[in-house]
Amino acid sequence: VEIITDVAALQARTLGWRAGGLRVGFVPTMGFLHRGHTSLMSLARPRCDKVVVSIFVNPLQFGPAEDLDRYPRDPEGDAAKCEAAGVDLLFVPDTAGGGFYPGDFSTTVAVSGLTSGLCGGKRPGHFEGVTTVVARLFGMVQPSLAVFGEKDYQQLAVIRRMVRDLAMPIEVVGGPLVRDDDGLALSSRNAYLSDEQRARGLSLHRALVAIAASPEREVAALKARGQAMIEADRLDYLEIVDAETLAPLAEVDRPARALAAGFFGATRLIDNVAIAPK
Ligand code: AMP
């Protein structure tokens, strides 16, 4: 895999590919790659001629008390995983000197409505950071297609909305959530968990599965059942929403999604499952 750190060099390569009629697929990440990330690369591979992965831990999407400074990193391991997944180009922007954002960077891309609840409600400014960096990365990479994971279900909906609203000529593909053998959603942040925290972290998925399997349709009852099962030190939210609009539901009478976020020690885990209307 070719590794590029310079934006001008990246654009020379990707714009050259586009001019030659090639389809460029893009998987943005924050690195410390796992099977969740490589599953997205595998989705991009047959749909494109060239696959680009970026690794950038974006300061704009972290709150002041969050884990920006200790976010895990593994540059060599990440490059090997991209190579094995058939990635053509790995973009690791050089953050020294001027950094990724110019000193007088002045633009914010914000999607309203969809970002008000769930993680958006608990992490003020998070989704503005996400949409701003993804818009900037799209400008840098010029992809034909971009792949995002359902692990970050709200993020996927927000990106789809941004791309539609700004008429970006990019196909957005969602990839299914990839789990470890025990059911824990794969996340770079799982590296922070002690064995005891990890064991309790599994309760997030168990609760969501119980909700999805229950014949109960009333959301208040489903949430009460799920809340009783989750062994978090602090539950950020457990919500059941319309699968498309993310609007809260009173009753599961349409395709829905159950989503939860909670702290296990200092580590915040998220998970979600589909609920089919009965
Ligand atoms: P991150 O590195 O956490 O910013 O994630 C980069 C991309 O990988 C995002 O589109 C995530 O939704 C996706 N992703 C992370 N973990 C998983 C997973 N367990 N299954 C599927 N996609 C994932």
Side-chain angles (χ1 to χ4, degrees):
V1 61
E2 180 183 14
I3 301 178
I4 290 186
T5 61
D6 175 69
V7 176
L10 167 75
Q11 273 197 331
R13 185 74 83 251
T14 56
L15 289 173
W17 286 337
R18 294 295 300 266
L22 300 181
R23 219 168 131 69
V24 175
F26 179 38
V27 182
T29 81
M30 299 202 297
F32 208 71
L33 302 177
H34 50 64
R35 284 186 295 111
H37 298 112
T38 52
S39 73
L40 306 183
M41 300 171 200
S42 303
L43 278 176
R45 189 64 278 174
R47 290 172 167 78
C48 305
D49 301 299
K50 298 289 182 184
V51 176
V52 178
V53 170
S54 66
I55 295 179
F56 176 58
V57 182
N58 171 36
L60 289 186
Q61 71 190 69
F62 286 77
E66 293 183 358
D67 57 341
L68 173 64
D69 294 333
R70 61 184 189 113
Y71 199 82
R73 286 160 209 262
D74 179 18
E76 283 91 32
D78 287 351
K81 284 169 190 152
C82 289
E83 175 79 38
V87 171
D88 296 284
L89 196 164
L90 177 56
F91 175 48
V92 188
D94 188 2
T95 49
F100 179 85
Y101 296 106
D104 57 353
F105 188 78
S106 320
T107 303
T108 300
V109 179
V111 172
S112 60
L114 274 181
T115 55
S116 61
L118 305 170
C119 286
K122 296 291 174 182
R123 301 180 72 189
H126 168 69
F127 282 116
E128 283 83 349
V130 169
T131 42
T132 300
V133 77
V134 170
R136 182 162 166 78
L137 286 166
F138 282 175
M140 290 171 163
V141 174
Q142 297 289 311
S144 318
L145 172 153
V147 191
F148 294 84
E150 289 186 347
K151 155 91 192 316
D152 299 274
Y153 193 81
Q154 186 178 20
Q155 169 174 277
L156 173 60
V158 168
I159 300 286
R160 283 191 197 283
R161 183 67 60 87
M162 172 186 80
V163 164
R164 189 206 68 183
D165 286 357
L166 299 183
M168 294 173 165
I170 299 170
E171 181 190 346
V172 176
V173 174
L177 198 166
V178 178
R179 301 180 179 284
D180 234 330
D181 293 340
D182 57 8
L184 192 70
L186 286 177
S187 166
S188 306
R189 291 191 167 100
N190 292 350
Y192 300 145
L193 297 170
S194 69
D195 290 347
E196 183 272 334
Q197 288 164 345
R198 188 190 162 97
R200 284 191 288 119
L202 290 171
S203 66
L204 222 44
H205 182 227
R206 271 200 304 271
L208 295 173
V209 168
I211 287 172
S214 168
E216 174 67 64
R217 297 292 90 186
E218 199 209 319
V219 164
L222 287 168
K223 280 172 63 170
R225 163 137 198 229
Q227 278 158 359
M229 291 179 68
I230 296 177
E231 301 166 30
D233 293 306
R234 177 156 66 84
L235 182 62
D236 240 358
Y237 63 78
L238 168 64
E239 297 291 349
I240 297 171
V241 302
D242 181 300
E244 294 295 321
T245 67
L246 308 188
L249 296 176
E251 216 180 311
V252 181
D253 54 0
R254 66 197 82 179
R257 205 90 187 177
L259 305 97
F263 282 88
F264 299 84
T267 304
R268 186 174 182 276
L269 300 181
I270 59 173
D271 203 341
N272 68 85
V273 302
I275 316 181
K278 291 274 150 53

